[in-house]
Amino acid sequence: EALGGTAEWDPYLGGAAVTSAGADYDAADLYWLSRIISAESGGEPLKGQIAVGNVVLNRVESETFPDSIPAVIFDQVDAVQFEPVENGTVYRAPTAQAVEAAQRALDGENVIGEAMYFYAPALSQGVWINANRRYSQTIGCHRFYL
């Protein structure tokens, strides 16, 4: 409610549902998406944070990745997919802006198209991504790839 939405307990689904600006999604989705956004891009502009959320959601929709937000975030089939999972920063409370970015991404705002990968050149060489994926665009300090 403090974030402008509502939360209701659904005993048949075994959990909470969040309603924000007319969109419905599971509270766990907002919980985990806001945390990975904050951990991966906490210092980025809002657009960059939404883009990180878009990458996670694009992966959920892809047949190549797991089909839930937590499963995508914690996916380790080929390797740890997100550094904050390995270093534990994904467990820190998200910033207010990361929560807003997660809500906007879950509500359907997409600023990155079909990108499913990103990295920050200042922190990584991105060798695999550069060799195997097609560049899409840069937002803030992150480069996004299809």
Side-chain angles (χ1 to χ4, degrees), residues 97-122:
Q97 183 170 292
V99 172
E100 178 185 351
Q103 288 177 314
R104 289 172 72 162
L106 287 165
D107 286 342
E109 186 172 339
N110 187 323
V111 299
I112 200 65
E114 297 177 2
M116 292 200 300
Y117 300 89
F118 66 90
Y119 79 99

Side-chain angles (χ1 to χ4, degrees), residues 46-138:
L46 181 60
K47 182 178 179 182
Q49 291 188 5
I50 294 168
V52 167
N54 293 155
V55 166
V56 173
L57 295 177
N58 287 346
R59 287 183 177 198
V60 170
E61 294 301 316
S62 169
E63 293 179 8
T64 308
F65 293 94
D67 62 359
S68 74
I69 290 171
V72 163
I73 292 168
F74 293 98
D75 180 18
Q76 295 187 28
V77 170
D78 295 316
V80 172
Q81 298 292 307
F82 299 97
E83 180 68 23
V85 170
E86 190 164 33
N87 67 26
T89 57
V90 72
Y91 299 106
R92 292 181 184 161
T95 64
Q97 183 170 292
V99 172
E100 178 185 351
Q103 288 177 314
R104 289 172 72 162
L106 287 165
D107 286 342
E109 186 172 339
N110 187 323
V111 299
I112 200 65
E114 297 177 2
M116 292 200 300
Y117 300 89
F118 66 90
Y119 79 99
L123 303 174
S124 169
Q125 294 180 16
V127 175
W128 181 88
I129 292 175
N130 285 314
N132 295 285
R133 307 309 299 185
R134 188 170 43 130
Y135 173 76
S136 174
Q137 64 180 293
T138 298

